[in-house]
Amino acid sequence: MTVLVGLIGALVYGAADFLGGLAARRLTILLATALAAASGLVVLVVFSVVVPGAWSAEAILWGALSGVAGSAAVALLYACLAIGPMSILSPLTAVVSAIVPVTWGLIGGERLGPLAIGAIGLALVAVVLVGFVPEKGAVRPTMAGLSMAIGSGVLIGTFLVLIDHTPDASGLLPLVANRTVSAVLMWTAFVAAVVVARLRSRRGGASRDAGARTTMRRGLVLAIACGGLDATANAVILIGLRIGDLSVMSVLVAMYPAGTILLAAVVLRERIAPVQWAGLALALASAGILAVA
């Protein structure tokens, strides 16, 4: 059951990231993230009625802290996916996000067997391969994209560690606290950025042509849909954490690039070098080995 729930959460999460990356290309990063946070909050409030839970200070605290980590993680993730290539940066983020909870478990006293240690080694090799592009014409990640992907992975892993501390009896309420904090932070940052931009601009509000307005409308729809899928994925992941272990769920969730890669290949027709495909395969294989180690 844990494996099934984890894989479902991973696929939904991957689809959400794909939409978030597209939204970030049409809107500003902050606006796309703020819209996703708001729509996700609405979805989670509805879910919390269906899956009741008990409010507690512990649930609110860990939920709010995970919201801080999660909002920063999503902002970095959408920013790096907007730069692209999605099919390279998404797996890199996933590998890092899996390593963080495993490392936390080791610090907390968990013991890893030889198989798990070997899987972590494979994951590190995968990170090198996905960032290495020897072929002319293959998609090449920038240093900025790679840095943001790694930072996002660390914060996603931190989010998983924090949300795992929430009480089982709290249901999905910690995620409501999480998304409330995220929405407040992202909308505050967006409004502040708009104010600063207008103060710096001497031209005032420039009119947009029809094409720009159409692009913005599509971006708004993509961001809202992204938030709904992301909230759904978080709910599924939290349920998985309640019925399984953090280390197992974290590596199952790290398989989310499968959804992102599939959509990027079909919709965007991104081309990937063979050595990068090998890195992607190693990344997913290492996550699978960790899940059963």
Side-chain angles (χ1 to χ4, degrees):
M1 181 61 71
T2 302
V3 173
L4 178 61
V5 171
L7 290 177
I8 292 174
L11 290 175
V12 178
Y13 196 15
D17 288 348
F18 177 76
L19 295 182
L22 292 181
R25 293 180 179 182
R26 292 163 172 80
L27 308 171
T28 64
I29 303 299
L30 288 177
L31 178 55
T33 308
L35 284 170
S39 64
L41 176 59
V42 173
V43 171
L44 286 170
V45 168
V46 174
F47 284 174
S48 66
V49 175
V50 180
V51 184
W55 284 105
S56 67
E58 189 177 4
I60 296 173
L61 173 62
W62 290 113
L65 289 176
S66 70
V68 175
S71 58
V74 171
L76 284 176
L77 181 60
Y78 293 170
C80 75
L81 292 182
I83 295 174
M86 289 187 181
S87 49
I88 300 301
L89 297 179
S90 180
L92 175 59
T93 301
V95 171
V96 176
S97 71
I99 291 175
V100 170
V102 172
T103 303
W104 178 261
L106 289 174
I107 295 175
E110 291 184 3
R111 298 286 182 88
L112 290 180
L115 188 61
I117 294 175
I120 292 176
L122 281 179
L124 295 177
V125 173
V127 171
V128 176
L129 292 180
V130 296
F132 179 61
V133 188
E135 274 194 16
K136 181 180 180 180
V139 287
R140 185 183 299 274
T142 64
M143 183 57 65
L146 291 172
S147 299
M148 288 189 290
I150 293 173
S152 177
V154 171
L155 289 169
I156 291 173
T158 302
F159 159 78
L160 291 172
V161 171
L162 293 172
I163 205 68
D164 185 54
H165 281 75
T166 59
D168 291 347
S170 60
L172 300 180
L173 294 177
L175 290 178
V176 175
N178 166 290
R179 201 51 61 102
T180 300
V181 170
S182 178
V184 170
L185 289 175
M186 298 316 304
W187 279 106
T188 300
F190 171 69
V191 171
V194 170
V195 171
V196 171
R198 289 190 175 182
L199 289 176
R200 291 179 176 178
S201 176
R202 296 181 179 180
R203 300 175 61 182
S207 60
R208 293 188 177 91
D209 57 28
R213 289 195 296 270
T214 300
T215 298
M216 174 166 283
R217 282 196 298 269
R218 290 177 179 172
L220 294 176
V221 172
L222 288 169
I224 292 171
C226 164
L229 287 176
D230 183 69
T232 302
N234 284 343
V236 173
I237 290 168
L238 181 56
I239 293 172
L241 288 171
R242 299 275 169 76
I243 64 177
D245 296 328
L246 171 64
S247 58
V248 174
M249 277 301 298
S250 63
V251 293
L252 288 171
V253 172
M255 294 184 182
Y256 74 83
T260 306
I261 291 173
L262 179 60
L263 290 172
V266 173
V267 179
L268 303 181
R269 301 185 182 278
E270 289 187 351
R271 179 174 175 271
I272 306 173
V275 67
Q276 292 174 299
W277 278 117
L280 300 182
L282 281 181
L284 297 178
S286 63
I289 294 172
L290 279 172
V292 298

